[in-house]
Amino acid sequence: MATTEALSLIPASVLRNLSDKLYEKRKNAALELEGIVKQLAVAGDHDKITAVINLLTQEYTYSPQANHRKGGLIGLAAVTVGLTSEAAQHLEQIVPPVLNSFSDQDSRVRYYACEALYNIVKVVRGDFIVFFNQIFDALCKLSADSDANVQSAAHLLDRLVKDIVTESDQFSIEEFIPLLRERMNVLNPYVRQFLVGWITVLDSVPDIDMLGFLPDFLDGLFNMLSDNSHEIRQQADSALSEFLQEIKNSPSVDYGRMAEILVQRAGSQDEFTRLTSITWINEFVKLGGDQLVPYYADILGAILPCISDKEEKIRVVARETNEELRGIEADPAEGFDVGAILSIARRQMSSEWEATRIEALHWMSTLLNRHCSEVLVFLNDVLDTLLKALSDPSDEVVLLVLEVHACIAEDPQHFRQLVVFLVHNFQLDHSLLEKRGALIIRRMCVLLDAERVYCELSTILEGESDLDFASIMVQALNLILLTASELSDLRDLLKQSLVNADGKNLFLSLYASWCHSPMAIISLCLLAQAYQHASSVIHLLVEEDINVKFLVQLDKLIHLLETPTFAYLRLQLLEPGRYIWLLKALYGLLMLLPQQSAAFKILRTRLKTVPSYSFKEEHFRRTSKIPYYQRYYVGGEEGDLNDDSLDMHNGVNFASKLQQFQQIQKQHHLHSKSQTQSRFVSTSSTKEVQIAEESKRSAQAAADLSRGLGRLQL
């Protein structure tokens, strides 16, 4: 009935021309239709107007014929123009069919839909805002239309809509933001330009608070920074720069939500995106205050990798941000998560970049200095990582690791735990001991007191069940003790072992573990000036002791005797009568060395420079009741070597110590035999001949060494 009524209102020629294939005829028909609607509007006959709109919608805009659809669109626009100020009450009928035409398969229909809506919006102005989201969605799609004419028409419509929205007080940003957020991850470059354009326009409107909704579309803007189009990157950067400036001037900003986005973008593969995000983070750290406390760990996780970025600008900003963040002394009671920060630092310790690992260690050190008790709660989580870091290829990293270790070990409860962990790491990785052992031990001695470190290491190694490792470790510690400048005070204390209580305690503390290595014991005794005991140890050596490893260690010792460390010992050789046991010990070592070795020649040359004392035998006999070969001087006091009381000096029971050395060496000998037997049993029968030959050679070598031992007696 409504259609019939409308047909009676509109001449047949107008309806016919409205669907003509020629644009001019459709346009003329639309003008006539506009006049008819104007008359109906003046008469206030809105029911008839509604009938006309229904006719245009049902018979034309939804028609299967493209020309009918075109006519329907121009007709709806004409109706709106005819209604003028009264068009608003009919928009619910007029706008939906036009919006539906935006998705028409015919590009010309889509074009005319843009033209029709342009004319409609131009008439109704702000009244169309109720359809804004639908119009925006349609324009978003049309901005990427395959037809250039449609795109052009959509741009004209878009500009008109923007102008009206900026003037309208009916626009709802709250309703619009979800739609914007949904579209922000679209990759099409035309759509991206469209979106950035709208964000920029809306942000320019004083009454629209786009900054308050920035977290909803910030990620999308950052995503556009890596677009292939320079223009889009530039537009996105311009929008972001404007927002950052607004943030600086705003008293209230939601830093937290945006910080999460920035952290993710700081790890982007795109260089420009990383630089922009790290720049934002830098400003946030300066401005955010307490709001950012819960996000410090995430922020740190973004900063540390950027410190090693290949781009210098990023490195500079990252370092500045890192210093800013570290300068903020946040309280755990206020939400500062020490465990989370520590976890980030520990994770970045495995970074391939040295600069990042160094800064991670600086953070660990900072946390220990400020929140030691909280950090120690997580000690088991980080200690293994710190110990592994001792194998780092960078010396600077290793030294920083040791400083962190030292901070941990300031707590007496954790000192032993640290040393135990360290020894365990050396045991698992012998290459660590070989390559970094000296650096690690020396630095620990500086940071934690050398005597304390050495005594603790000795205590641990004394009960070490892995005898081979104990021997290797003791040899390493002994070499460091004899050579490191950082341990000069410890050497001076050991030199007083026979006259000073502190020196005696240190000597006794080291002795038990040093027994794992005959050469280490001999070195310790020479350092402590316990020359008689050194001579006794040398005489107790058996063929199992004098192996290739022993001779290598002995060679090192002979060369060390020529260094400033043992200058006092060489000067004592000027008084052979007073230091006869020193001379005897050195001759004993000489007898152990192969004659063709360089060490043999060095020691023999040194001993040849010792003043002769044997020709003064008669003088010694006349001036003392004690024969010269029984004379013994300790600390300038003379005694009889046959006197059992000389087994004790300054509280040191040397006879007991000698037994201790023998017992531990016996364990080593049994262990060595057990290993030899195991290897023999596991060896296939095809190698029996080789084993027999090897045994024969070993027996011959042992016999030669045994003959050398026989020459030890002076």
Side-chain angles (χ1 to χ4, degrees), residues 491-628:
R491 291 194 293 271
D492 290 340
L493 185 59
L494 280 169
K495 290 174 187 176
Q496 305 298 317
S497 297
L498 301 184
V499 294
N500 178 284
D502 292 336
K504 177 198 73 172
N505 292 335
L506 177 59
F507 176 81
L508 292 176
S509 178
L510 299 185
Y511 191 96
S513 60
W514 258 237
C515 286
H516 285 295
S517 168
M519 187 48 59
I521 278 291
I522 294 170
S523 302
L524 182 66
C525 291
L526 293 178
L527 193 59
Q529 302 186 70
Y531 301 134
Q532 182 184 9
H533 192 66
S535 180
S536 298
V537 169
I538 293 170
H539 278 75
L540 282 175
L541 294 177
V542 294
E543 60 184 66
E544 288 94 337
D545 297 316
I546 308 171
N547 51 32
V548 174
K549 293 180 181 179
F550 175 86
L551 292 175
V552 170
Q553 293 293 316
L554 178 54
D555 184 275
K556 290 180 182 179
L557 177 60
I558 299 306
H559 283 84
L560 284 172
L561 291 177
E562 297 297 315
T563 65
T565 297
F566 285 101
Y568 70 93
L569 183 148
R570 297 196 299 275
L571 290 173
Q572 288 171 352
L573 291 175
L574 294 173
E575 301 178 79
R578 184 175 183 183
Y579 295 100
I580 187 173
W581 287 110
L582 169 59
L583 200 59
K584 185 173 182 181
L586 293 180
Y587 268 109
L589 295 178
L590 182 67
M591 293 301 107
L592 296 177
L593 287 165
Q595 290 188 22
Q596 67 273 24
S597 67
F600 178 87
K601 296 173 183 176
I602 292 171
L603 184 54
R604 182 177 63 179
T605 301
R606 174 62 65 184
L607 290 173
K608 282 182 178 180
T609 64
V610 175
S612 176
Y613 62 89
S614 58
F615 298 108
K616 299 181 180 180
E617 178 181 341
E618 293 301 323
H619 171 73
F620 278 101
R621 287 178 178 176
R622 286 196 303 269
T623 57
S624 174
K625 294 180 181 180
I626 305 173
Y628 79 90

Side-chain angles (χ1 to χ4, degrees), residues 258-309:
M258 289 189 285
E260 294 177 350
I261 296 168
L262 297 175
V263 164
Q264 293 296 322
R265 290 296 170 181
S268 170
Q269 295 296 314
D270 179 67
E271 183 180 297
F272 188 44
T273 303
R274 292 200 307 278
L275 176 59
T276 306
S277 61
I278 204 72
T279 301
W280 275 60
I281 290 173
N282 180 275
E283 293 296 339
F284 275 28
V285 170
K286 295 175 182 177
L287 301 169
D290 295 342
Q291 279 195 53
L292 285 178
V293 171
Y295 302 93
Y296 277 0
D298 292 336
I299 291 173
L300 182 63
I303 293 172
L304 290 180
C306 289
I307 285 174
S308 303
D309 199 278

Side-chain angles (χ1 to χ4, degrees), residues 342-360:
L342 198 62
S343 178
I344 291 293
R346 178 176 61 83
R347 192 181 311 147
Q348 293 301 325
M349 281 292 298
S350 60
S351 168
E352 62 179 309
W353 305 110
E354 178 184 0
T356 293
R357 299 197 300 275
I358 287 172
E359 288 307 318

